[in-house]
Amino acid sequence: MKTSTAVAATTSVAASSFARSVHAGEDNTIRVALIGCGGRGSGAAANALSVDNGPIELVAMADVFDYKLKQCYESLNKQFQDKVKVPDDQKFIDFEGYKKAIDCLRPGDIAIMATPPAFRWVQFEYAISKGVNVFMEKPVTVDGPSSVKMLELAKKSIEKNLKVGIGLMCRHCDARRELYRRIQDGQIGDILMMRAYRMAGPTGSAATTKKPEGMSELLYQINRFHGFLWASGGAYSDFLIHNIDECCWMKDAWPVKAAASGGRHYRNDDVDQNFDTYSVEYTFADGTKLLLNGRTIPGCKNEFASYAHGTKGSAVISTAAHTPAKCRIYSGQNIGKRSELVWEFPQPEKSPYQLEWDHLVAAIRDNEPYNEVERGVQASVVTSMGRMAAHTGQEITYDDMLNCKHEFAPGIEKLTFDSPAPLQPLANGLYPVPQPGIVTDQEYQS
């Protein structure tokens, strides 16, 4: 595992001309195309346009919902009027809008991929063919087959010297980077156990009621993507990946297996595929444990944090949500006890959402190796491993997950507005849900 978020990649001499040739001339403006205009896409575009090391412009946008594109455009245009240059004929409402938006770019520009992750490998493959740099939101895969495809695409993107950032922004956090350095320096001793929590009320579109009349099944599921495993990996993958990734980073390893439990409780009118609670025990090769708890039930104790416990002390990896991390080290195991506090990162902290963009654009302008895809896939596979363990009731290894043949959305690259949804409702109008101990070789039975 690399210690830097700017993962060093072997660079093809022949391919390195992509970045150099485009930005060596008088026009060194980086053009950006936004694919997926929801909340994260809007946020990523705003961060891109806030990078201040040279000219950068938003020139194209794509989504399958016209209202999302319109809202996103108006918001960005209000904030960055001199940097948003998207004429109407470069706003695309189409399942192939990603191609049209990327076609508005030159080699060396940036495509932001912020649609539900199921579409990630399709869009990334096209961007590679066009020599376009990429920022893609996490997770980057949701099942075994798409993970295998993305690992192959990662190799191709490195061969072309493309710069690719992944939306695991905690890796770019200054506080966490300093904590990582101190942990690797032995300041809490050997890590024996880590804990991570994301326990809150309903989040995103995870709690999803029945499809409204007049809306296609496909667009309904894409619009409520947190509710459907094929689109997003569900609430587990979308919400818990950051805590999982930051813990694995501090451990400097990926876990080799997971065992888990979880269940559905107060469903009311919700029809999504998610569990309401997840409790996962990840095991690393040296026996170290990562205990992960996720919950989306209102009225319960909330916690959104990650911790590490070592032979010489303990550490706070994140305190409440993603930023500020407020990383700290304690001499004992009493986290929060002031008399045992030996180090804390000074406040305030820079936003890691902005830092990840600063780092990506700097790498593009300086033509430095920068490709986070392999690590992003590994984090996504580890996340899916815990999810599958809970959904099947079985112990799942990393290799089990990567090689699992259950492809959630085969043929996703061919979807149109008239296509059936990859997941069809049952005769009772509900959707297939995980059945631990009954359906054990895949996460649900269609």
Side-chain angles (χ1 to χ4, degrees):
M1 179 179 293
K2 301 297 183 183
T3 59
S4 168
T5 51
V7 178
T10 302
T11 302
S12 158
V13 173
S16 67
S17 59
F18 265 121
R20 291 195 190 112
S21 62
V22 171
H23 300 295
E26 291 184 1
D27 182 7
N28 62 350
T29 300
I30 293 178
R31 299 180 180 184
V32 177
L34 174 59
I35 302 161
C37 301
R40 277 310 304 139
S42 300
N47 291 131
L49 298 178
S50 298
V51 178
D52 61 0
N53 64 354
I56 188 166
E57 297 174 349
L58 180 67
V59 301
M61 303 173 72
D63 204 295
V64 294
F65 298 101
D66 54 358
Y67 80 91
K68 287 191 176 184
L69 191 150
K70 183 174 184 293
Q71 290 174 355
C72 179
Y73 172 80
E74 290 175 351
S75 175
L76 292 171
N77 193 47
K78 186 176 180 180
Q79 298 176 69
F80 307 96
Q81 197 166 22
D82 59 333
K83 297 181 178 180
V84 176
K85 300 181 179 180
V86 188
D88 287 344
D89 63 356
Q90 292 184 185
K91 299 172 184 172
F92 306 104
I93 307 299
D94 191 348
F95 274 87
E96 292 208 335
Y98 71 93
K99 291 183 178 178
K100 299 168 185 174
I102 289 173
D103 287 345
C104 295
L105 303 178
R106 304 164 299 189
D109 289 333
I110 306 175
I112 299 174
M113 298 176 182
T115 61
F119 298 95
R120 203 70 79 236
W121 72 266
V122 180
Q123 297 161 357
F124 188 36
E125 186 174 51
Y126 190 73
I128 293 170
S129 74
K130 294 295 182 177
V132 170
N133 299 311
V134 170
F135 174 85
M136 64 177 80
E137 265 301 336
K138 55 73 203 167
V140 300
T141 66
V142 297
D143 58 20
S146 63
S147 299
V148 172
K149 290 174 184 172
M150 282 294 282
L151 287 173
E152 288 300 314
L153 292 175
K155 296 176 184 174
K156 292 181 180 178
S157 67
I158 290 172
E159 290 170 0
K160 283 199 166 186
N161 190 26
L162 298 182
K163 323 302 181 188
V164 187
I166 303 295
L168 291 167
M169 70 289 170
C170 296
R171 297 260 184 169
H172 296 261
C173 165
D174 290 336
R176 291 176 177 86
R177 286 184 167 195
E178 177 59 19
L179 176 64
Y180 171 84
R181 187 191 70 76
R182 289 171 179 267
I183 288 177
Q184 299 308 309
D185 194 40
Q187 295 191 18
I188 68 168
D190 295 330
I191 293 177
L192 299 177
M193 188 262 285
M194 293 177 287
R195 299 178 287 129
Y197 307 87
R198 184 158 179 176
M199 301 196 296
T203 307
S205 55
T208 292
T209 55
K210 287 186 177 180
K211 182 178 77 64
E213 293 293 331
M215 190 176 197
S216 79
E217 186 68 44
L218 176 59
L219 288 182
Y220 160 68
Q221 293 184 20
I222 292 173
N223 198 36
R224 306 292 299 176
F225 61 97
H226 291 131
F228 298 97
L229 295 176
W230 73 267
S232 64
Y236 185 97
S237 287
D238 204 280
F239 303 152
L240 299 177
I241 189 171
H242 288 296
N243 294 84
I244 295 168
D245 184 59
E246 66 184 5
C247 288
C248 294
W249 177 25
M250 296 302 153
K251 175 61 180 170
D252 212 16
W254 298 110
V256 295
K257 63 181 180 180
S261 62
R264 295 159 62 85
H265 303 278
Y266 314 122
R267 301 307 299 169
N268 299 317
D269 295 328
D270 295 333
V271 298
D272 54 85
Q273 294 183 289
N274 293 305
F275 283 177
D276 304 319
T277 61
Y278 291 94
S279 298
V280 185
E281 178 185 282
Y282 284 104
T283 302
F284 293 83
D286 66 358
T288 299
K289 303 291 186 181
L290 163 59
L291 307 180
L292 174 73
N293 285 281
R295 183 170 61 202
T296 52
I297 300 177
C300 303
K301 177 184 182 297
N302 291 343
E303 185 162 14
F304 191 166
S306 301
Y307 308 98
H309 297 269
T311 54
K312 297 180 180 178
S314 57
V316 176
I317 303 169
S318 58
T319 299
H322 301 310
T323 186
K326 297 183 178 178
C327 296
R328 305 184 292 283
I329 289 178
Y330 292 87
S331 58
Q333 303 303 321
N334 292 308
I335 287 176
K337 189 174 183 179
R338 198 70 190 174
S339 62
E340 294 186 8
L341 179 67
V342 296
W343 171 81
E344 60 183 334
F345 191 81
Q347 299 298 306
E349 299 175 27
K350 294 180 180 177
S351 167
Y353 293 97
Q354 187 58 53
L355 286 170
E356 67 181 349
W357 269 98
D358 293 347
H359 298 160
L360 172 61
V361 175
I364 292 171
R365 293 200 183 282
D366 297 340
N367 195 24
E368 294 292 334
Y370 192 100
N371 195 304
E372 300 181 329
V373 180
E374 181 180 12
R375 176 168 56 70
V377 175
Q378 291 169 325
S380 300
V381 171
V382 167
T383 302
S384 296
M385 178 171 72
R387 186 196 67 215
M388 186 173 182
H391 286 170
T392 61
Q394 308 302 302
E395 181 177 272
I396 303 297
T397 68
Y398 184 95
D399 289 341
D400 288 339
M401 188 67 244
L402 184 61
N403 297 314
C404 179
K405 301 303 182 186
H406 186 195
E407 186 173 8
F408 290 173
I412 193 169
E413 70 276 18
K414 300 175 184 175
L415 288 181
T416 70
F417 284 109
D418 297 324
S419 298
L423 182 73
Q424 291 297 303
L426 303 172
N428 60 6
L430 303 178
Y431 298 92
V433 297
Q435 297 175 278
I438 297 176
V439 179
T440 60
D441 59 347
Q442 58 186 49
E443 295 186 55
Y444 58 89
Q445 193 72 56
S446 299

